[in-house]
Amino acid sequence: MWLPKQLGQLNVIHHSLDYKNPCMENQNHQLLIKSTQYNMKLFIIAAVLAVAAAVPSSYKPEYKAPSYPAPSYPAPKYPAPAYPAPAYSAPAYKDNKYADITVTSQSDERNLDGSSQWSYAQSDYTTREESQAQKKMQGVAYDSYGKATYEDVMGNTNKGSSYWVSPEGEKFTLTWNADDAGFQPKGDHLPVAPVHEYELPVAPVHEYELPVAPVHIPFNGKGYKIY
């Protein structure tokens, strides 16, 4: 829109230059220079605006994703299954004092060398104590071929004692020892194998003369003895 206007001004200036007045010629010359400088500035601005319009814009509008409230669904309701409560019969004790038995003392000791000992006592006077230890004993070892050899091995030995009172009021004490000789319990209530005392039978003695084998003297065919 500004180019025709400026061109009109240039025409006016051009016609005015046709007049050969020296003073006016100088003024017109200065006006032409200013007008030319002004037109160059406008031309540069127009070129810059044209280049800016031709360059694709890097501006990208940002759109926020629409947010919707999360749908809420009521939890489904199911009827709770009804099971009859199990009925357990109370344990029957011959004597009510067994229901009130409590542990009055106890101990438990474990050692790094494999030995241990423990004990406990109850309110019904029952007690028990036990200990075990490692011991080298003769044992059987098998090689990769299944051959058995007897050698020293480490095994556990155990010993202890226990005391209790029967429902009838009878008192029992049991002691034991278990090692390479087997389990060896002791207690007055343990049965004892009967001891049979009898005389061993004596083999009869036979007195008789052993028979003597006859002596054979060989002879040759001529009637002489052969020595």
Side-chain angles (χ1 to χ4, degrees):
M1 297 297 294
W2 56 270
L3 288 177
K5 182 179 180 180
Q6 298 300 325
L7 289 176
Q9 294 177 357
L10 288 176
N11 291 329
V12 173
I13 294 171
H14 179 71
H15 288 297
S16 62
L17 291 175
D18 293 337
Y19 180 71
K20 302 298 181 178
N21 188 353
C23 295
M24 292 299 295
E25 184 178 357
N26 187 21
Q27 292 179 355
N28 291 335
H29 180 69
Q30 292 179 357
L31 180 63
L32 178 61
I33 293 175
K34 292 182 180 180
S35 177
T36 303
Q37 292 176 350
Y38 180 74
N39 291 336
M40 290 299 296
K41 291 180 181 180
L42 292 178
F43 179 76
I44 293 173
I45 293 174
V48 171
L49 292 177
V51 171
V55 174
S57 175
S58 61
Y59 173 74
K60 295 181 180 179
E62 295 183 359
Y63 300 99
K64 293 184 179 179
S67 59
Y68 303 99
S72 59
Y73 304 99
K77 296 181 179 180
Y78 303 101
Y83 301 101
Y88 302 101
S89 57
Y93 299 98
K94 293 181 63 177
D95 195 335
N96 289 335
K97 67 179 180 180
Y98 292 111
D100 301 329
I101 295 176
T102 58
V103 177
T104 57
S105 65
Q106 61 180 352
S107 65
D108 191 354
E109 180 182 344
R110 310 297 172 100
N111 303 316
L112 295 176
D113 59 357
S115 62
S116 63
Q117 54 187 1
W118 57 272
S119 64
Y120 70 85
Q122 299 181 165
S123 58
D124 62 345
Y125 307 107
T126 299
T127 60
R128 177 166 178 163
E129 58 183 11
E130 190 172 343
S131 64
Q132 66 174 7
Q134 295 280 322
K135 178 184 177 183
K136 185 180 292 185
M137 56 185 68
Q138 191 77 6
V140 182
Y142 297 91
D143 58 12
S144 57
Y145 297 98
K147 183 180 178 181
T149 56
Y150 292 90
E151 58 184 25
D152 290 339
V153 296
M154 296 301 295
N156 283 331
T157 62
N158 184 286
K159 64 179 180 179
S161 64
S162 182
Y163 171 83
W164 71 96
V165 181
S166 69
E168 294 77 20
E170 189 176 359
K171 300 177 182 180
F172 294 93
T173 301
L174 175 66
T175 60
W176 66 87
N177 189 20
D179 51 19
D180 50 351
F183 182 68
Q184 307 146 46
K186 293 181 181 179
D188 296 337
H189 60 287
L190 297 179
V192 180
V195 179
H196 298 282
E197 295 180 0
Y198 55 87
E199 290 185 17
L200 296 176
V202 180
V205 178
H206 299 281
E207 296 180 359
Y208 56 90
E209 243 178 78
L210 295 176
V212 179
V215 178
H216 298 281
I217 301 175
F219 289 87
N220 59 9
K222 300 179 180 181
Y224 296 98
K225 295 180 179 178
I226 300 173
Y227 297 98

